[in-house]
Amino acid sequence: MRTYQLFINGSFVNAADGRTFESINPFNGEVVATVARAGAEDARRAVAAARAAFDQGPWPAMPLAERSAFLKKLVDAINARQLDLVALEVADSGTTIRKAKEDVALSARNLNYFAKMAAQPLESEIEGLSKPGFSKNLLCWEPVGVVAGIIPWNFPLKMAIWKLGPALAAGNTVVLKPSELTPATAMELAQMVADAGFPPGVVNIIPGYGAEAGEALVRDRQVDKVSFTGSTAVGRKIMSMASETLKKITLECGGKSANIVLDDADLELAVDGALYAIFYHQGQCCEAGSRLLLPLSLHDSFVERLVEKVRRMTIGDPTNPVTEIGPLISQHQRERVLGYIQSGKQEGASLAVGGSTPSGTELSKGFFVEPTIFTGVSNNMKIAREEIFGPVLSVIPYATEDEAVAIANDSPYGLAGGIWSADKERALRIARRLRTGTVWINEWHLISEKAPFGGYKQSGVGREFGMEGIKEYTEAKHLHIDEIGVRSKKFWYDTVVPK
């Protein structure tokens, strides 16, 4: 079992009130770590440190190559500690070891991208604004200031990098609040920051509960921007609280993504893709393909193939490389998912497979739910409207392309979507009609640090990744430089100033 303190102003310290909490392994209920529990006072201390580091410290004005080098040290540290981080991610979050290996590798790759971007000046000349010889005009993107990053439990290390990478690359200082359910790898990242010699206060990491540390960060007047990933319900609250001081915000919230199979799709590819879209990480993904739209001509045979493969999935110990379905994050989350399954039954959907907790001695202590598929789902059912965040797939039939698009867009969310078709042009035509931030064609879950990611409607505000993601952590400034040089040619002064 590990023990973690808060990381504030370059030092590891206890919570102001001395409180701690335990992080629990979702597979066996064992304690992974005892962690200092940040409260409002700790949030205030962390923000004050970040504020001083931004206003008086070297980070915002540091030469770009030097700032980039600091981030590259973190990349090297993650790569050097891959095995330990993978094991810790599995124990702390219940993710399968196969996914954890991918997550740690991608965390390093994502941060390496931001390290490279940190070396590039965020400045360009505005062409055509004035006549030659009158003025030169520059557009600069400057760091916004102190950033509060609040991350969820489903991708602990990756989400920490998603917040820290672009914010630091742009020259901001950061207070990061990991989820109380999965704080371990973020705290290991804090040790890497300390070992890399970052200036004090540039990075502060304070695990704790949202109603305590999280709300204090959002309301703090010295915080310039809040970047949040989590549920739409919490996102609304953060948006409301941030409005008190007109903070900049980035919100990456919920999803109920539609996965559309066309009648010309490669069935072997589409069946496996549909399973991957929903059951990856037990469905605990904001952009999971939780609504599967099937043409009437393929519906029965497609569902039959899905069910047959689901029944062969390996549910069990996430440290075992053969395991495909691990536990959910907590008892609360399991009860929530089981509640949605009960709702689907009550509303008249048909249970094709799953729908319960698996049996077996090995699984008795874990928060497991069987991979579940409902058929006979209409788009107005609760299981089709609300984000379940678990291994539950709603299969919805459609008759025409127009109906499929209408069903897909009939959602309060708009984070992602997918289309399976042998005709790429046909698929692209439909993709352009979907009101979502990402659309995959014959693919799912592939997110690149070089392309913006985020949602329409109640799936969020702003974008992460790519240049668009970095600019979310900046303020745009226009610099006008006069090139006329003499008073006699500044005729516009005559409208106010006496000759």
Side-chain angles (χ1 to χ4, degrees):
M1 185 181 75
R2 308 193 188 198
T3 301
Y4 296 113
Q5 296 174 291
L6 310 179
F7 185 62
I8 299 176
N9 204 28
S11 298
F12 290 95
V13 298
N14 293 328
D17 59 11
R19 290 189 301 168
T20 62
F21 65 93
E22 292 180 335
S23 184
I24 304 299
N25 186 321
F27 170 63
N28 56 27
E30 294 178 359
V31 177
V32 176
T34 299
V35 187
R37 178 172 173 170
E41 174 58 22
D42 303 300
R44 187 200 64 76
R45 286 193 293 162
V47 170
R51 185 81 264 165
F54 184 81
D55 293 341
Q56 303 155 27
W59 189 256
M62 185 178 287
L64 300 184
E66 188 176 345
R67 192 190 296 160
S68 173
F70 271 107
L71 294 178
K72 189 62 170 65
K73 286 182 181 180
L74 289 186
V75 175
D76 294 340
I78 292 171
N79 284 327
R81 294 192 52 197
Q82 275 198 11
L83 292 179
D84 181 53
L85 291 171
V86 166
L88 193 55
E89 198 87 330
V90 173
D92 206 32
S93 71
T95 190
T96 64
I97 192 167
R98 286 192 283 181
K99 174 182 166 294
K101 289 178 179 179
E102 178 186 83
D103 286 350
V104 173
L106 286 176
S107 295
R109 192 185 85 174
N110 295 162
L111 187 56
N112 192 54
Y113 167 79
F114 291 117
K116 291 179 180 179
M117 295 301 290
Q120 299 183 19
L122 293 176
E123 182 175 301
S124 62
E125 186 169 352
I126 305 174
E127 301 288 348
L129 191 149
S130 68
K131 296 179 180 179
F134 276 73
S135 67
K136 181 179 181 180
N137 292 269
L138 300 178
L139 178 57
C140 306
W141 288 273
E142 299 181 342
V144 69
V146 175
V147 173
I150 301 174
I151 61 175
W153 45 259
N154 55 340
F155 293 88
L157 184 60
K158 283 174 71 175
M159 290 291 104
I161 296 303
W162 283 31
K163 303 304 180 191
L164 291 174
L168 295 174
N172 300 281
T173 58
V174 184
V175 180
L176 181 73
K177 192 202 83 63
S179 168
E180 71 279 7
L181 295 174
T182 53
T185 48
M187 296 319 300
E188 294 295 334
L189 190 60
Q191 184 62 60
M192 296 179 211
V193 169
D195 293 343
F198 275 69
V202 171
V203 177
N204 307 271
I205 303 182
I206 56 167
Y209 289 71
E212 299 168 355
E215 184 170 335
L217 289 175
V218 175
R219 291 190 183 278
D220 197 307
R221 293 181 178 275
Q222 295 194 85
V223 170
D224 300 295
K225 175 182 172 68
V226 177
S227 182
F228 167 78
T229 299
S231 73
T232 294
V234 176
R236 291 191 196 103
K237 293 178 182 178
I238 287 176
M239 193 173 195
S240 177
M241 288 186 287
S243 70
E244 295 170 6
T245 49
L246 291 183
K247 287 179 174 62
K248 289 175 69 91
I249 58 171
T250 300
L251 304 175
E252 196 266 278
C253 297
K256 196 67 183 177
S257 300
N259 196 0
I260 303 173
V261 177
L262 300 184
D263 55 13
D264 64 350
D266 178 325
L267 292 188
E268 182 179 8
L269 178 65
V271 166
D272 285 353
L275 294 173
Y276 175 60
I278 182 58
F279 296 129
Y280 176 70
H281 195 26
Q282 296 75 253
Q284 298 174 126
C285 305
C286 52
E287 32 67 83
S290 53
R291 290 186 296 155
L292 178 63
L293 278 55
L294 296 178
L296 293 171
S297 60
L298 293 179
H299 181 278
D300 292 352
S301 61
F302 201 99
V303 170
E304 184 178 337
R305 292 182 185 217
L306 288 175
V307 169
E308 189 273 329
K309 288 209 167 189
V310 166
R311 286 181 172 148
R312 290 193 285 116
M313 283 183 170
T314 301
I315 306 173
D317 184 349
T319 65
N320 189 331
V322 305
T323 295
E324 292 154 335
I325 300 292
L328 299 183
I329 187 62
S330 66
Q331 174 68 18
H332 170 78
Q333 185 64 12
R334 178 169 68 175
E335 294 305 318
R336 183 176 183 272
V337 172
L338 291 174
Y340 274 105
I341 291 173
Q342 184 62 28
S343 171
K345 296 176 183 177
Q346 292 173 347
E347 288 191 285
S350 299
L351 197 59
V353 69
S356 185
T357 56
S359 59
T361 304
E362 183 189 53
L363 309 181
S364 62
K365 295 181 180 179
F367 307 127
F368 288 92
V369 172
E370 294 173 336
T372 299
I373 298 177
F374 278 106
T375 58
V377 179
S378 64
N379 204 46
N380 60 359
M381 290 182 179
K382 188 175 181 180
I383 56 172
R385 304 300 296 177
E386 299 183 13
E387 184 179 44
I388 298 174
F389 225 65
V392 181
L393 178 64
S394 294
V395 179
I396 304 172
Y398 71 87
T400 66
E401 283 185 16
D402 286 345
E403 185 185 8
V405 171
I407 293 171
N409 287 338
D410 180 17
S411 171
Y413 300 108
L415 188 56
I419 301 166
W420 302 82
S421 173
D423 185 338
K424 302 288 177 55
E425 290 303 315
R426 181 188 181 194
L428 186 59
R429 184 177 69 250
I430 296 173
R432 294 185 187 281
R433 298 174 63 190
L434 299 183
R435 299 286 295 165
T436 64
T438 297
V439 181
W440 292 285
I441 295 176
N442 296 330
E443 191 53 271
W444 204 279
H445 286 308
L446 294 193
I447 298 171
S448 171
E449 63 274 3
K450 297 179 182 179
F453 176 72
Y456 289 28
K457 297 182 280 187
Q458 293 186 43
S459 284
V461 176
R463 292 293 182 269
E464 297 189 280
F465 280 162
M467 182 55 72
E468 291 86 352
I470 292 177
K471 287 180 180 178
E472 293 279 354
Y473 293 89
T474 66
E475 296 279 15
K477 177 181 285 185
H478 170 209
L479 296 176
H480 176 104
I481 304 130
D482 172 68
E483 292 187 325
I484 296 175
V486 294
R487 170 63 179 85
S488 61
K489 293 185 179 181
K490 293 180 177 287
F491 58 87
W492 44 85
Y493 286 6
D494 298 341
T495 61
V496 174
V497 182
K499 289 186 180 179

